[in-house]
Amino acid sequence: DQQVKQNSPSLSVQEGRISILNCDYTNSMFDYFLWYKKYPAEGPTFLISISSIKDKNEDGRFTVFLNKSAKHLSLHIVPSQPGDSAVYFCAAETSGTYKYIFGTGTRLKVLA
Amino acid sequence: DGGITQSPKYLFRKEGQNVTLSCEQNLNHDAMYWYRQDPGQGLRLIYYSQIVNDFQKGDIAEGYSVSREKKESFPLTVTSAQKNPTAFYLCASNRARSPLHFGNGTRLTVT
């Protein structure tokens, strides 16, 4: 049973436009959510997180939106740049469990 | 510079042999983790440890073992009981309620 799902395996966006990556979860106990970016043969790097007490968190070009009633979060990248081309993973945790569950990833390609 | 070191980057073993993957961190983090990445399956949690001398099974612990004798170190042994050991293995660490920091991974190939 996959508790964190990223239903789009891939996404292509033109440079300068908005990239929207989506993530759904099934466990209502999750209260901390994170997005990571990963290049091949490297470890994921942390991008942005959000606690369940918020519905939006912004850091530069990256904004994460959380819709608790829909059990859905999204990552917006504006404007998209070719260097953003990578695989993006969302992850979720229930406070205090230390058990971070990851989605299957979405490969973003930003076209110059 | 603080970080997580995984070694070696590439590892080759014959089927039936146990192999141990190293993970060391100098971030003074209490918690450490092992994940496995396979194509199309994202990152799956193998084992995690919140404190020294304590660890818990993740979602796919069968065929793996770990130890946490020191805060800085969390080695993972892939035993011969693991049916599909070829994968990219990632170690991570963090403080409570903060993002995971990942190492650069070890690619294990078993033939």
Side-chain angles (χ1 to χ4, degrees):
Chain A
D1 176 34
Q2 200 159 354
Q3 298 183 69
V4 179
K5 301 177 187 180
Q6 294 177 257
N7 292 317
S8 298
S10 63
L11 174 68
S12 290
V13 170
Q14 285 294 132
E15 182 179 5
R17 306 293 292 267
I18 184 171
S19 294
I20 301 176
L21 297 100
N22 294 304
C23 180
D24 297 294
Y25 60 96
T26 58
N27 187 342
S28 57
M29 299 298 291
F30 287 147
D31 58 4
Y32 183 50
F33 304 89
L34 310 94
W35 282 95
Y36 283 82
K37 174 181 179 180
K38 186 181 182 301
Y39 295 115
E42 293 184 9
T45 54
F46 169 70
L47 282 175
I48 192 167
S49 63
I50 188 167
S51 163
S52 60
I53 61 173
K54 293 185 169 185
D55 54 20
K56 177 182 173 181
N57 189 25
E58 197 170 349
D59 184 0
R61 295 187 298 116
F62 302 94
T63 303
V64 56
F65 295 91
L66 176 62
N67 182 334
K68 289 184 287 293
S69 61
K71 294 192 181 70
H72 177 84
L73 66 154
S74 60
L75 174 68
H76 292 209
I77 306 173
V78 182
S80 301
Q81 299 172 353
D84 295 330
S85 297
V87 177
Y88 289 78
F89 291 97
C90 65
E93 187 222 4
T94 303
S95 286
T97 65
Y98 288 82
K99 197 172 177 184
Y100 291 74
I101 305 300
F102 282 76
T104 52
T106 296
R107 182 176 302 278
L108 172 66
K109 189 170 184 181
V110 180
L111 306 169
Chain B
D1 264 352
I4 298 179
T5 302
Q6 290 188 244
S7 60
K9 190 163 180 66
Y10 299 96
L11 194 51
F12 298 88
R13 279 294 181 271
K14 294 287 187 189
E15 198 173 320
Q17 293 179 333
N18 290 356
V19 60
T20 297
L21 282 60
S22 168
C23 178
E24 303 278 330
Q25 56 103 355
N26 60 4
L27 298 166
N28 199 31
H29 288 166
D30 288 316
M32 297 188 74
Y33 308 75
W34 276 104
Y35 285 86
R36 166 182 173 144
Q37 184 186 15
D38 296 282
Q41 296 207 49
L43 306 179
R44 292 185 291 165
L45 182 62
I46 305 172
Y47 268 98
Y48 60 107
S49 166
Q50 298 177 25
I51 56 172
V52 174
N53 292 322
D54 188 38
F55 48 82
Q56 288 79 39
K57 292 182 180 180
D59 298 320
I60 55 164
E62 187 175 347
Y64 298 98
S65 66
V66 292
S67 62
R68 186 86 189 276
E69 296 175 3
K70 299 188 299 181
K71 187 175 185 177
E72 303 79 21
S73 178
F74 191 41
L76 173 75
T77 297
V78 184
T79 75
S80 56
Q82 168 49 233
K83 301 257 186 289
N84 297 295
T86 294
F88 188 55
Y89 290 88
L90 287 158
C91 179
S93 70
N94 75 334
R95 292 194 181 89
R97 200 65 171 173
S98 65
L100 301 179
H101 292 254
F102 282 88
N104 275 328
T106 292
R107 180 161 298 281
L108 173 65
T109 302
V110 176
T111 57

